[in-house]
């Protein structure tokens, strides 16, 4: 087993269940709040319920189409990520075209003159590199279908590692051996 395992993957944004689930939460929660707000401010008759359903449905459709367009235009539908696994832990960061795009988008956000956009851009830039020590991980769960690793501490998932078919087996074996060694 190598001392350090480093690999780069191009993650398809529209095919990974983890990403789709997170985008669903990111858009589903605001849509649910919109529906609740509309329900609270409208009479509860069949006509109002139909109008609320239509408004929430149209809003959801518009958001999904806009998100798809932005992800295709800005990222080409793929996100390039580099992972480094060593004896201490694992680190991941955007690389290649994705890293350049993120820097440009975050820089534009910081200088937009809008406090919300500036704060969001600063937070996004701060989270460009993530990592965790093996000692913080209890178990590694591999998903053979998605070729991902879930790094868990109890029920809390610390990190998802996108491996692709090419690196999945080696990364899973490496991560499991490191977690086992750090927990002994």
């Amino acid at each position: 087993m190598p001392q350090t395992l480093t690999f780069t993957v191009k993650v398809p944004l529209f095919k990974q269940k983890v990403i789709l689930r997170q985008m669903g939460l990111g858009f589903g929660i605001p849509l649910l709040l919109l529906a609740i707000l509309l329900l609270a401010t409208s009479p509860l008759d069949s006509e109002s319920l139909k109008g609320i359903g239509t408004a929430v449905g149209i809003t959801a459709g518009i958001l999904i189409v806009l998100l798809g367009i932005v992800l295709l235009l800005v990222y080409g539908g793929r996100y390039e990520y580099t992972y480094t696994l060593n004896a201490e832990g694992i680190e991941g960061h955007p690389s290649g075209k994705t890293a350049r795009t993120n820097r440009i988008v975050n820089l534009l956000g910081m200088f937009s003159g809008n406090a919300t956009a500036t704060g969001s851009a600063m937070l996004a830039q701060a989270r460009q590199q993530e990592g965790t020590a093996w000692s913080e991980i209890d178990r590694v769960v591999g998903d053979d279908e998605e070729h991902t690793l879930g790094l868990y501490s109890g029920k809390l998932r610390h990190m998802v590692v996108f491996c692709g078919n090419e690196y999945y087996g080696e990364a899973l074996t490496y991560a499991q051996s490191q977690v086992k060694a750090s927990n002994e």
Side-chain angles (χ1 to χ4, degrees):
M1 183 171 301
Q3 288 289 89
T4 301
L5 175 63
T6 301
F7 59 92
T8 300
V9 292
K10 291 183 178 177
V11 181
L13 296 174
F14 300 112
K15 292 183 181 175
Q16 286 288 336
K17 290 178 187 174
V18 172
I19 294 172
L20 293 173
R21 202 171 16 250
Q22 292 298 319
M23 285 191 290
L25 280 173
F27 286 100
I29 292 172
L31 289 170
L32 179 63
L33 292 174
L34 174 64
I36 291 170
L37 178 69
L38 291 173
L39 284 170
T41 59
S42 302
L44 294 179
D45 58 17
S46 64
E47 195 64 33
S48 294
L49 292 176
K50 185 178 176 184
I52 290 170
T54 302
V56 171
I58 289 171
T59 304
I62 290 170
L63 288 175
I64 289 169
V65 168
L66 290 176
L67 174 67
I69 290 169
V70 167
L71 290 179
L72 282 172
L73 289 178
V74 175
Y75 292 106
R78 296 191 175 277
Y79 200 86
E80 190 173 339
Y81 220 74
T82 298
Y83 294 98
T84 302
L85 293 74
N86 57 33
E88 287 82 39
I90 181 169
E91 289 184 354
H93 60 86
S95 57
K97 182 182 174 197
T98 301
R100 285 188 301 277
T101 301
N102 286 353
R103 280 192 296 273
I104 292 167
V105 169
N106 292 339
L107 189 64
L108 291 173
M110 283 188 231
F111 295 109
S112 68
N114 179 320
T116 303
T118 300
S120 296
M122 291 172 71
L123 286 172
Q125 188 61 36
R127 294 285 302 167
Q128 287 301 299
Q129 185 159 350
E130 64 177 331
T132 191
W134 297 122
S135 59
E136 296 176 16
I137 304 300
D138 295 344
R139 62 191 163 99
V140 177
V141 177
D143 183 337
D144 298 337
E145 192 176 306
E146 295 285 317
H147 301 109
T148 60
L149 306 179
L151 306 179
Y152 289 86
S153 177
K155 292 184 180 185
L156 178 67
R157 183 172 59 199
H158 277 265
M159 189 173 182
V160 174
V161 180
F162 299 96
C163 302
N165 191 29
E166 190 176 345
Y167 301 103
Y168 175 70
E170 187 178 7
L172 177 61
T173 303
Y174 190 99
Q176 287 174 332
S177 68
Q178 292 298 328
V179 168
K180 182 178 178 186
S182 72
N183 290 329
E184 290 180 346

